[in-house]
Amino acid sequence: MKYSSQMVAKPYFIFALLLLAGEMLFGLVLGLQYINGDFLFPLIPFNVARMVHTNLLIVLILFAFMGAAYYLVPEESERELWSPKLAIITFWVFAVAGVITILGYLLVPYATLTEITYNHLFPTMGREFLEQPTIIKIGIVIVAISFVFNIAMTVLKGRKTVITVVLLTGLLGLAGLFLFAFYLPANLAEDKFFWWFVVHLWVEGVWELILGAILSFVLIKVTGVDREHIDKWLYLIIAMTLVSGIIGTGHHFFYIGTPDYWLWLGSIASAVEPLPFFLMVLYAFAMERQRRVFHENKIALTWAKGTAVIAFLGAGVWGFIHTLAPVNYYTHGTQLTAAHGHLAFFGAYIMIAFTIISYSMPIMRGRLKGNSLKAQKVERVSFWLMVIGMLGLTLALTVAGVWQIVLQRWPESGEALNFMSTQ
Protein backbone atom coordinates (compact mmCIF):
# COMPACT_ATOMS: atom_id res chain seq x y z
CA MET A 1 0.00 0.00 0.00
CA LYS A 2 1.48 3.35 -1.09
CA TYR A 3 -0.22 5.79 1.30
CA SER A 4 -1.04 5.22 4.96
CA SER A 5 -4.24 7.31 4.76
CA GLN A 6 -5.74 4.69 2.44
CA MET A 7 -6.31 2.62 5.59
CA VAL A 8 -9.33 4.76 6.48
CA ALA A 9 -11.21 2.84 3.77
CA LYS A 10 -11.13 -0.35 5.85
CA PRO A 11 -13.87 0.51 8.41
CA TYR A 12 -16.09 1.76 5.58
CA PHE A 13 -15.78 -1.55 3.73
CA ILE A 14 -16.28 -3.66 6.87
CA PHE A 15 -19.40 -1.70 7.86
CA ALA A 16 -20.76 -1.95 4.30
CA LEU A 17 -20.44 -5.75 4.49
CA LEU A 18 -22.21 -5.80 7.88
CA LEU A 19 -25.04 -3.75 6.40
CA LEU A 20 -25.18 -6.18 3.47
CA ALA A 21 -25.74 -9.02 5.93
CA GLY A 22 -28.71 -7.09 7.35
CA GLU A 23 -29.92 -6.33 3.84
CA MET A 24 -29.99 -10.05 2.97
CA LEU A 25 -31.65 -10.95 6.29
CA PHE A 26 -34.54 -8.54 5.71
CA GLY A 27 -34.78 -9.63 2.09
CA LEU A 28 -35.30 -13.16 3.35
CA VAL A 29 -37.93 -11.91 5.81
CA LEU A 30 -39.79 -10.18 2.97
CA GLY A 31 -39.68 -13.30 0.80
CA LEU A 32 -41.14 -15.38 3.64
CA GLN A 33 -43.83 -12.75 4.26
CA TYR A 34 -44.91 -13.05 0.62
CA ILE A 35 -45.47 -16.76 1.26
CA ASN A 36 -46.95 -16.37 4.75
CA GLY A 37 -48.29 -12.88 5.39
CA ASP A 38 -48.42 -13.44 9.15
CA PHE A 39 -44.68 -14.21 9.47
CA LEU A 40 -43.25 -11.98 12.26
CA PHE A 41 -46.47 -9.96 12.37
CA PRO A 42 -47.07 -7.66 14.23
CA LEU A 43 -43.43 -7.54 15.42
CA ILE A 44 -42.06 -6.62 11.96
CA PRO A 45 -44.85 -5.80 9.48
CA PHE A 46 -44.14 -6.09 5.75
CA ASN A 47 -43.97 -2.32 5.22
CA VAL A 48 -41.38 -1.95 8.00
CA ALA A 49 -39.26 -4.86 6.73
CA ARG A 50 -39.35 -3.38 3.23
CA MET A 51 -38.36 0.07 4.52
CA VAL A 52 -35.39 -1.43 6.39
CA HIS A 53 -34.42 -3.52 3.35
CA THR A 54 -34.35 -0.57 0.95
CA ASN A 55 -32.68 1.83 3.38
CA LEU A 56 -29.93 -0.68 4.20
CA LEU A 57 -29.30 -1.01 0.46
CA ILE A 58 -28.80 2.72 -0.04
CA VAL A 59 -26.63 3.17 3.04
CA LEU A 60 -24.38 0.16 2.35
CA ILE A 61 -23.74 1.38 -1.21
CA LEU A 62 -22.87 4.85 0.10
CA PHE A 63 -20.43 3.34 2.63
CA ALA A 64 -18.84 1.26 -0.13
CA PHE A 65 -18.52 4.32 -2.41
CA MET A 66 -16.96 6.34 0.40
CA GLY A 67 -14.49 3.59 1.20
CA ALA A 68 -13.61 3.21 -2.48
CA ALA A 69 -12.99 6.96 -2.83
CA TYR A 70 -10.84 7.09 0.31
CA TYR A 71 -8.78 4.17 -1.02
CA LEU A 72 -8.26 5.11 -4.67
CA VAL A 73 -8.03 8.91 -4.53
CA PRO A 74 -4.72 9.08 -2.57
CA GLU A 75 -3.16 6.58 -4.98
CA GLU A 76 -4.48 8.37 -8.07
CA SER A 77 -3.60 11.83 -6.68
CA GLU A 78 -0.16 10.64 -5.52
CA ARG A 79 -0.56 12.23 -2.09
CA GLU A 80 -2.02 11.43 1.30
CA LEU A 81 -5.70 12.07 1.98
CA TRP A 82 -6.29 15.73 2.91
CA SER A 83 -7.67 14.81 6.37
CA PRO A 84 -7.74 11.16 7.52
CA LYS A 85 -9.11 12.37 10.89
CA LEU A 86 -12.12 13.98 9.17
CA ALA A 87 -12.71 10.70 7.27
CA ILE A 88 -12.83 8.74 10.54
CA ILE A 89 -15.16 11.29 12.20
CA THR A 90 -17.40 11.15 9.11
CA PHE A 91 -17.50 7.36 9.36
CA TRP A 92 -18.68 7.33 12.98
CA VAL A 93 -21.27 10.07 12.46
CA PHE A 94 -22.73 8.28 9.44
CA ALA A 95 -22.60 4.84 11.08
CA VAL A 96 -24.33 6.02 14.27
CA ALA A 97 -26.98 7.93 12.28
CA GLY A 98 -27.62 4.87 10.12
CA VAL A 99 -28.01 2.51 13.08
CA ILE A 100 -30.33 4.95 14.90
CA THR A 101 -32.49 5.29 11.77
CA ILE A 102 -32.89 1.52 11.31
CA LEU A 103 -33.64 1.01 15.02
CA GLY A 104 -36.21 3.79 14.77
CA TYR A 105 -37.99 2.00 11.92
CA LEU A 106 -38.00 -1.29 13.85
CA LEU A 107 -38.91 -0.04 17.34
CA VAL A 108 -41.18 2.95 16.75
CA PRO A 109 -44.37 3.07 14.63
CA TYR A 110 -43.64 5.27 11.62
CA ALA A 111 -46.45 7.74 12.43
CA THR A 112 -44.99 8.16 15.93
CA LEU A 113 -41.52 8.55 14.43
CA THR A 114 -42.73 11.50 12.34
CA GLU A 115 -44.15 13.13 15.47
CA ILE A 116 -41.16 12.71 17.79
CA THR A 117 -38.75 13.95 15.08
CA TYR A 118 -40.93 17.03 14.46
CA ASN A 119 -41.52 16.21 10.81
CA HIS A 120 -44.45 18.67 10.80
CA LEU A 121 -42.01 21.59 11.09
CA PHE A 122 -40.24 20.63 7.86
CA PRO A 123 -42.04 17.68 6.20
CA THR A 124 -39.74 15.36 4.22
CA MET A 125 -40.75 11.88 5.43
CA GLY A 126 -42.98 9.18 3.96
CA ARG A 127 -41.50 8.68 0.49
CA GLU A 128 -39.95 5.41 -0.69
CA PHE A 129 -36.16 5.30 -0.13
CA LEU A 130 -36.40 8.73 1.56
CA GLU A 131 -38.22 7.65 4.73
CA GLN A 132 -35.44 8.99 6.99
CA PRO A 133 -36.48 11.64 9.56
CA THR A 134 -35.63 15.20 8.53
CA ILE A 135 -32.96 15.49 11.24
CA ILE A 136 -31.24 12.37 9.83
CA LYS A 137 -31.42 13.81 6.31
CA ILE A 138 -29.69 16.96 7.57
CA GLY A 139 -27.02 14.72 9.12
CA ILE A 140 -26.57 12.92 5.78
CA VAL A 141 -26.02 16.29 4.07
CA ILE A 142 -23.35 17.22 6.64
CA VAL A 143 -21.66 13.85 6.14
CA ALA A 144 -21.80 14.26 2.34
CA ILE A 145 -20.33 17.77 2.46
CA SER A 146 -17.43 16.75 4.72
CA PHE A 147 -16.76 13.65 2.60
CA VAL A 148 -16.83 15.46 -0.77
CA PHE A 149 -14.74 18.32 0.65
CA ASN A 150 -12.09 15.87 1.89
CA ILE A 151 -11.94 14.12 -1.48
CA ALA A 152 -12.01 17.38 -3.46
CA MET A 153 -9.13 18.89 -1.46
CA THR A 154 -7.07 15.74 -2.03
CA VAL A 155 -7.77 15.79 -5.77
CA LEU A 156 -7.12 19.53 -6.16
CA LYS A 157 -3.81 19.40 -4.28
CA GLY A 158 -2.55 16.28 -6.08
CA ARG A 159 -2.23 14.78 -9.55
CA LYS A 160 -5.41 15.05 -11.63
CA THR A 161 -6.47 11.97 -13.57
CA VAL A 162 -9.56 11.14 -15.59
CA ILE A 163 -10.55 8.64 -12.88
CA THR A 164 -10.44 11.19 -10.05
CA VAL A 165 -12.21 13.87 -12.13
CA VAL A 166 -15.02 11.45 -13.11
CA LEU A 167 -15.27 10.17 -9.52
CA LEU A 168 -15.42 13.69 -8.05
CA THR A 169 -18.06 14.70 -10.62
CA GLY A 170 -20.17 11.71 -9.58
CA LEU A 171 -19.73 12.46 -5.87
CA LEU A 172 -20.68 16.12 -6.31
CA GLY A 173 -23.79 15.01 -8.20
CA LEU A 174 -24.62 12.48 -5.48
CA ALA A 175 -24.45 15.15 -2.76
CA GLY A 176 -26.24 17.84 -4.78
CA LEU A 177 -29.13 15.73 -6.02
CA PHE A 178 -29.90 14.50 -2.49
CA LEU A 179 -31.09 18.03 -1.69
CA PHE A 180 -34.29 17.24 -3.63
CA ALA A 181 -35.12 14.90 -0.71
CA PHE A 182 -36.01 18.06 1.23
CA TYR A 183 -38.53 19.23 -1.39
CA LEU A 184 -41.98 17.79 -0.70
CA PRO A 185 -44.67 19.47 -2.86
CA ALA A 186 -48.32 19.08 -1.88
CA ASN A 187 -49.25 18.07 -5.43
CA LEU A 188 -48.73 14.31 -5.85
CA ALA A 189 -47.66 14.42 -9.52
CA GLU A 190 -45.15 17.18 -8.76
CA ASP A 191 -43.91 15.25 -5.73
CA LYS A 192 -43.21 12.11 -7.80
CA PHE A 193 -41.65 14.22 -10.57
CA PHE A 194 -38.98 15.66 -8.28
CA TRP A 195 -38.65 12.50 -6.18
CA TRP A 196 -37.12 10.82 -9.22
CA PHE A 197 -34.48 13.57 -9.32
CA VAL A 198 -32.96 11.82 -6.32
CA VAL A 199 -33.70 8.18 -7.04
CA HIS A 200 -33.28 7.97 -10.82
CA LEU A 201 -30.53 10.57 -11.26
CA TRP A 202 -28.60 8.79 -8.52
CA VAL A 203 -28.84 5.21 -9.77
CA GLU A 204 -29.04 5.89 -13.53
CA GLY A 205 -26.86 8.98 -13.55
CA VAL A 206 -24.15 10.06 -11.13
CA TRP A 207 -23.73 6.66 -9.45
CA GLU A 208 -22.76 5.24 -12.84
CA LEU A 209 -19.90 7.76 -12.98
CA ILE A 210 -18.69 6.48 -9.61
CA LEU A 211 -19.07 2.90 -10.87
CA GLY A 212 -17.05 3.69 -14.01
CA ALA A 213 -14.26 5.35 -12.01
CA ILE A 214 -13.92 2.47 -9.53
CA LEU A 215 -14.02 -0.14 -12.32
CA SER A 216 -11.34 1.73 -14.29
CA PHE A 217 -9.08 1.99 -11.24
CA VAL A 218 -9.24 -1.75 -10.55
CA LEU A 219 -8.76 -2.66 -14.23
CA ILE A 220 -5.61 -0.50 -14.43
CA LYS A 221 -4.22 -2.22 -11.34
CA VAL A 222 -4.95 -5.84 -12.33
CA THR A 223 -4.33 -5.64 -16.10
CA GLY A 224 -1.59 -3.04 -16.49
CA VAL A 225 -3.29 -1.59 -19.59
CA ASP A 226 -2.21 1.91 -20.59
CA ARG A 227 -4.10 4.59 -18.70
CA GLU A 228 -4.70 6.57 -21.91
CA HIS A 229 -6.55 3.62 -23.44
CA ILE A 230 -8.75 3.19 -20.37
CA ASP A 231 -9.42 6.94 -20.23
CA LYS A 232 -10.88 6.94 -23.76
CA TRP A 233 -13.28 4.11 -22.87
CA LEU A 234 -14.29 5.87 -19.65
CA TYR A 235 -15.03 9.16 -21.43
CA LEU A 236 -17.22 7.38 -24.00
CA ILE A 237 -19.16 5.41 -21.35
CA ILE A 238 -19.85 8.38 -19.07
CA ALA A 239 -20.88 10.63 -22.00
CA MET A 240 -23.51 8.09 -23.10
CA THR A 241 -24.54 7.52 -19.48
CA LEU A 242 -25.24 11.19 -18.81
CA VAL A 243 -26.97 11.92 -22.12
CA SER A 244 -29.28 8.89 -21.92
CA GLY A 245 -29.64 8.82 -18.13
CA ILE A 246 -30.70 12.43 -17.59
CA ILE A 247 -33.36 12.44 -20.32
CA GLY A 248 -34.18 8.82 -19.46
CA THR A 249 -35.66 10.07 -16.19
CA GLY A 250 -38.74 10.47 -18.38
CA HIS A 251 -39.53 6.77 -18.27
CA HIS A 252 -40.66 7.36 -14.68
CA PHE A 253 -42.96 10.19 -15.76
CA PHE A 254 -45.37 8.05 -17.79
CA TYR A 255 -49.01 8.36 -16.68
CA ILE A 256 -48.37 10.35 -13.47
CA GLY A 257 -49.91 13.63 -14.63
CA THR A 258 -46.98 14.98 -16.69
CA PRO A 259 -47.25 16.20 -20.33
CA ASP A 260 -47.43 13.44 -22.95
CA TYR A 261 -44.14 14.48 -24.60
CA TRP A 262 -42.46 12.53 -21.78
CA LEU A 263 -43.83 9.35 -23.40
CA TRP A 264 -41.56 10.05 -26.37
CA LEU A 265 -38.57 11.48 -24.51
CA GLY A 266 -38.63 8.73 -21.89
CA SER A 267 -39.00 5.95 -24.46
CA ILE A 268 -36.29 7.19 -26.85
CA ALA A 269 -33.73 7.90 -24.10
CA SER A 270 -34.54 4.60 -22.39
CA ALA A 271 -33.79 2.75 -25.63
CA VAL A 272 -30.28 4.25 -25.49
CA GLU A 273 -29.66 3.60 -21.78
CA PRO A 274 -28.56 -0.06 -22.21
CA LEU A 275 -25.75 1.00 -24.59
CA PRO A 276 -23.33 2.39 -21.96
CA PHE A 277 -23.72 -0.85 -20.00
CA PHE A 278 -23.04 -2.88 -23.14
CA LEU A 279 -19.94 -0.73 -23.73
CA MET A 280 -18.91 -1.50 -20.15
CA VAL A 281 -18.99 -5.24 -20.96
CA LEU A 282 -16.84 -4.70 -24.08
CA TYR A 283 -14.56 -2.45 -22.03
CA ALA A 284 -13.91 -4.94 -19.22
CA PHE A 285 -13.22 -7.87 -21.52
CA ALA A 286 -11.12 -5.77 -23.93
CA MET A 287 -8.93 -4.65 -21.03
CA GLU A 288 -8.45 -8.29 -20.01
CA ARG A 289 -7.38 -9.25 -23.55
CA GLN A 290 -4.94 -6.34 -23.78
CA ARG A 291 -3.46 -6.68 -20.32
CA ARG A 292 0.28 -6.37 -19.84
CA VAL A 293 0.47 -7.91 -16.38
CA PHE A 294 -1.08 -11.01 -14.86
CA HIS A 295 -1.92 -9.89 -11.36
CA GLU A 296 -2.08 -12.68 -8.79
CA ASN A 297 -5.36 -11.29 -7.45
CA LYS A 298 -7.40 -13.01 -10.18
CA ILE A 299 -10.70 -12.91 -8.29
CA ALA A 300 -10.72 -9.07 -8.35
CA LEU A 301 -10.71 -9.25 -12.16
CA THR A 302 -13.53 -11.82 -12.00
CA TRP A 303 -15.62 -9.39 -9.95
CA ALA A 304 -14.81 -6.57 -12.39
CA LYS A 305 -15.97 -8.58 -15.41
CA GLY A 306 -18.99 -9.85 -13.48
CA THR A 307 -19.97 -6.28 -12.59
CA ALA A 308 -20.03 -5.30 -16.26
CA VAL A 309 -22.03 -8.36 -17.39
CA ILE A 310 -24.64 -8.44 -14.60
CA ALA A 311 -25.06 -4.64 -14.66
CA PHE A 312 -25.78 -4.89 -18.41
CA LEU A 313 -28.32 -7.65 -17.83
CA GLY A 314 -30.01 -6.02 -14.83
CA ALA A 315 -29.89 -2.32 -15.69
CA GLY A 316 -29.72 -2.69 -19.47
CA VAL A 317 -31.73 -5.68 -20.61
CA TRP A 318 -34.24 -5.97 -17.76
CA GLY A 319 -34.56 -2.18 -17.68
CA PHE A 320 -35.32 -1.97 -21.39
CA ILE A 321 -37.88 -4.78 -21.14
CA HIS A 322 -40.41 -2.44 -19.53
CA THR A 323 -39.34 1.18 -20.14
CA LEU A 324 -40.99 1.85 -23.51
CA ALA A 325 -44.23 3.75 -22.85
CA PRO A 326 -46.65 1.37 -24.65
CA VAL A 327 -45.18 -1.58 -22.71
CA ASN A 328 -44.87 0.30 -19.42
CA TYR A 329 -48.60 1.05 -19.61
CA TYR A 330 -49.13 -2.60 -18.60
CA THR A 331 -45.97 -3.37 -16.63
CA HIS A 332 -45.51 -0.36 -14.33
CA GLY A 333 -45.27 -1.26 -10.66
CA THR A 334 -45.50 -5.03 -11.24
CA GLN A 335 -43.03 -7.67 -10.13
CA LEU A 336 -41.16 -6.95 -13.39
CA THR A 337 -40.08 -3.70 -11.75
CA ALA A 338 -38.80 -5.66 -8.75
CA ALA A 339 -36.95 -8.09 -11.06
CA HIS A 340 -35.18 -5.21 -12.81
CA GLY A 341 -34.43 -3.39 -9.57
CA HIS A 342 -32.86 -6.36 -7.80
CA LEU A 343 -30.58 -7.45 -10.66
CA ALA A 344 -29.60 -3.88 -11.56
CA PHE A 345 -28.65 -2.88 -8.00
CA PHE A 346 -26.79 -6.13 -7.46
CA GLY A 347 -24.92 -6.05 -10.78
CA ALA A 348 -24.03 -2.39 -10.88
CA TYR A 349 -23.45 -1.41 -7.27
CA ILE A 350 -23.12 -4.43 -4.98
CA MET A 351 -20.72 -6.15 -7.37
CA ILE A 352 -18.57 -3.04 -7.86
CA ALA A 353 -18.35 -2.86 -4.07
CA PHE A 354 -17.11 -6.45 -4.02
CA THR A 355 -14.67 -5.59 -6.83
CA ILE A 356 -12.91 -2.80 -4.95
CA ILE A 357 -13.08 -4.66 -1.62
CA SER A 358 -11.65 -7.83 -3.21
CA TYR A 359 -8.77 -5.82 -4.67
CA SER A 360 -7.98 -3.46 -1.80
CA MET A 361 -8.73 -5.35 1.41
CA PRO A 362 -5.89 -7.90 0.99
CA ILE A 363 -3.48 -5.01 0.33
CA MET A 364 -4.64 -3.19 3.47
CA ARG A 365 -3.99 -6.43 5.37
CA GLY A 366 -0.43 -6.65 4.04
CA ARG A 367 -1.03 -9.11 1.18
CA LEU A 368 0.08 -6.97 -1.77
CA LYS A 369 -0.51 -9.71 -4.37
CA GLY A 370 -3.95 -10.59 -3.11
CA ASN A 371 -5.23 -13.45 -1.00
CA SER A 372 -3.94 -17.01 -1.29
CA LEU A 373 -5.15 -19.16 -4.19
CA LYS A 374 -7.17 -21.24 -1.73
CA ALA A 375 -8.95 -18.14 -0.41
CA GLN A 376 -9.58 -16.95 -3.97
CA LYS A 377 -11.20 -20.29 -4.81
CA VAL A 378 -13.58 -19.86 -1.86
CA GLU A 379 -14.36 -16.34 -3.04
CA ARG A 380 -14.99 -17.62 -6.58
CA VAL A 381 -17.55 -20.08 -5.19
CA SER A 382 -19.28 -17.18 -3.39
CA PHE A 383 -19.21 -15.18 -6.65
CA TRP A 384 -21.07 -17.88 -8.58
CA LEU A 385 -23.50 -18.63 -5.73
CA MET A 386 -24.51 -14.97 -5.53
CA VAL A 387 -24.75 -14.50 -9.31
CA ILE A 388 -26.79 -17.67 -9.83
CA GLY A 389 -28.96 -16.83 -6.80
CA MET A 390 -29.70 -13.32 -8.07
CA LEU A 391 -30.44 -14.59 -11.59
CA GLY A 392 -32.84 -17.15 -10.08
CA LEU A 393 -34.55 -14.48 -7.99
CA THR A 394 -34.80 -12.22 -11.06
CA LEU A 395 -36.30 -14.93 -13.26
CA ALA A 396 -38.83 -15.84 -10.56
CA LEU A 397 -39.93 -12.22 -10.20
CA THR A 398 -40.05 -11.88 -14.00
CA VAL A 399 -42.41 -14.85 -14.35
CA ALA A 400 -44.52 -13.49 -11.48
CA GLY A 401 -44.62 -10.06 -13.14
CA VAL A 402 -45.67 -11.40 -16.53
CA TRP A 403 -48.40 -13.54 -14.97
CA GLN A 404 -49.54 -10.56 -12.90
CA ILE A 405 -49.98 -8.57 -16.12
CA VAL A 406 -51.82 -11.42 -17.84
CA LEU A 407 -54.28 -11.83 -14.95
CA GLN A 408 -54.85 -8.25 -13.89
CA ARG A 409 -53.87 -5.76 -16.59
CA TRP A 410 -53.94 -7.29 -20.05
CA PRO A 411 -57.66 -8.15 -20.31
CA GLU A 412 -59.67 -5.00 -20.99
CA SER A 413 -63.12 -6.52 -21.44
CA GLY A 414 -63.98 -6.79 -17.75
CA GLU A 415 -62.50 -10.30 -17.41
CA ALA A 416 -59.40 -9.19 -15.48
CA LEU A 417 -58.95 -10.38 -11.90
CA ASN A 418 -58.93 -7.78 -9.16
CA PHE A 419 -55.73 -6.83 -7.34
CA MET A 420 -56.03 -9.17 -4.36
CA SER A 421 -57.11 -12.15 -6.44
CA THR A 422 -54.07 -11.58 -8.63
CA GLN A 423 -51.81 -11.41 -5.57
Side-chain angles (χ1 to χ4, degrees):
M1 190 168 63
K2 294 182 180 180
Y3 301 95
S4 60
S5 59
Q6 290 177 284
M7 287 295 290
V8 301
K10 187 188 285 188
Y12 283 90
F13 289 149
I14 292 172
F15 196 68
L17 293 175
L18 290 173
L19 293 173
L20 180 62
E23 161 82 358
M24 292 187 291
L25 174 63
F26 280 91
L28 184 61
V29 168
L30 289 167
L32 291 169
Q33 287 180 337
Y34 259 105
I35 297 168
N36 176 13
D38 290 331
F39 180 68
L40 291 182
F41 186 83
L43 186 63
I44 305 178
F46 181 86
N47 66 302
V48 172
R50 186 181 187 279
M51 193 160 54
V52 173
H53 183 63
T54 54
N55 276 243
L56 283 171
L57 172 67
I58 300 299
V59 176
L60 83 88
I61 291 172
L62 293 179
F63 268 98
F65 281 170
M66 293 169 80
Y70 284 136
Y71 183 84
L72 73 85
V73 164
E75 200 159 322
E76 285 288 300
S77 300
E78 295 182 344
R79 56 160 288 131
E80 295 287 0
L81 191 65
W82 184 74
S83 176
K85 185 178 292 185
L86 179 61
I88 294 299
I89 293 171
T90 303
F91 168 79
W92 284 110
V93 171
F94 197 18
V96 170
V99 171
I100 290 173
T101 303
I102 298 302
L103 290 176
Y105 295 157
L106 291 170
L107 301 177
V108 182
Y110 194 71
T112 305
L113 192 62
T114 63
E115 292 177 9
I116 64 177
T117 58
Y118 297 97
N119 183 65
H120 61 282
L121 298 177
F122 187 7
T124 67
M125 296 174 70
R127 289 175 292 172
E128 185 183 7
F129 295 114
L130 303 178
E131 296 95 347
Q132 308 87 17
T134 303
I135 187 68
I136 296 294
K137 288 190 178 77
I138 294 171
I140 291 171
V141 170
I142 294 170
V143 166
I145 290 172
S146 64
F147 163 61
V148 173
F149 180 75
N150 206 350
I151 294 297
M153 291 300 291
T154 310
V155 171
L156 292 173
K157 289 179 176 291
R159 181 183 70 153
K160 283 77 174 174
T161 68
V162 173
I163 289 175
T164 55
V165 170
V166 170
L167 177 67
L168 186 56
T169 303
L171 294 175
L172 286 168
L174 185 157
L177 289 167
F178 183 71
L179 296 178
F180 283 101
F182 292 91
Y183 181 51
L184 183 59
N187 180 283
L188 185 58
E190 191 181 351
D191 169 37
K192 295 302 289 184
F193 187 93
F194 287 103
W195 178 80
W196 285 112
F197 279 28
V198 183
V199 179
H200 171 95
L201 290 176
W202 261 13
V203 301
E204 296 176 68
V206 293
W207 281 17
E208 290 183 24
L209 304 191
I210 300 169
L211 160 63
I214 297 171
L215 184 63
S216 298
F217 173 79
V218 174
L219 286 173
I220 286 175
K221 297 300 179 183
V222 298
T223 66
V225 173
D226 285 342
R227 182 178 291 271
E228 292 77 11
H229 192 49
I230 280 185
D231 289 349
K232 291 174 184 177
W233 276 93
L234 186 55
Y235 273 134
L236 179 61
I237 289 169
I238 64 168
M240 294 192 69
T241 295
L242 289 177
V243 170
S244 62
I246 292 172
I247 304 173
T249 313
H251 66 234
H252 301 294
F253 297 160
F254 302 156
Y255 321 116
I256 69 164
T258 53
D260 60 2
Y261 56 73
W262 282 111
L263 300 177
W264 289 95
L265 290 176
S267 296
I268 293 168
S270 296
V272 179
E273 279 195 82
L275 294 181
F277 286 100
F278 181 65
L279 286 176
M280 205 174 290
V281 176
L282 298 180
Y283 169 49
F285 283 85
M287 294 308 101
E288 183 191 26
R289 287 195 304 272
Q290 298 169 26
R291 63 184 174 180
R292 295 183 174 184
V293 300
F294 289 81
H295 200 284
E296 291 183 42
N297 190 345
K298 296 178 181 179
I299 190 63
L301 181 58
T302 301
W303 281 113
K305 293 187 295 181
T307 298
V309 172
I310 304 301
F312 169 65
L313 289 175
V317 176
W318 257 264
F320 179 72
I321 282 174
H322 65 133
T323 52
L324 299 182
V327 178
N328 192 261
Y329 179 79
Y330 295 98
T331 63
H332 189 83
T334 65
Q335 297 292 1
L336 269 178
T337 307
H340 157 61
H342 280 82
L343 195 61
F345 267 109
F346 173 73
Y349 301 121
I350 301 301
M351 289 186 74
I352 195 61
F354 282 129
T355 301
I356 186 66
I357 291 172
S358 184
Y359 170 74
S360 64
M361 192 64 86
I363 296 173
M364 287 189 284
R365 294 182 181 279
R367 297 187 284 273
L368 302 183
K369 296 181 179 180
N371 288 327
S372 66
L373 291 178
K374 183 179 179 181
Q376 290 190 49
K377 286 180 180 178
V378 174
E379 194 173 338
R380 185 164 283 104
V381 171
S382 74
F383 170 89
W384 283 111
L385 285 174
M386 278 189 274
V387 167
I388 293 168
M390 285 302 301
L391 287 172
L393 184 153
T394 301
L395 291 171
L397 288 172
T398 302
V399 172
V402 171
W403 196 235
Q404 190 178 356
I405 294 160
V406 169
L407 293 176
Q408 184 184 342
R409 298 188 175 184
W410 188 258
E412 295 181 346
S413 60
E415 298 173 358
L417 291 182
N418 62 43
F419 176 81
M420 286 310 298
S421 298
T422 302
Q423 292 300 99

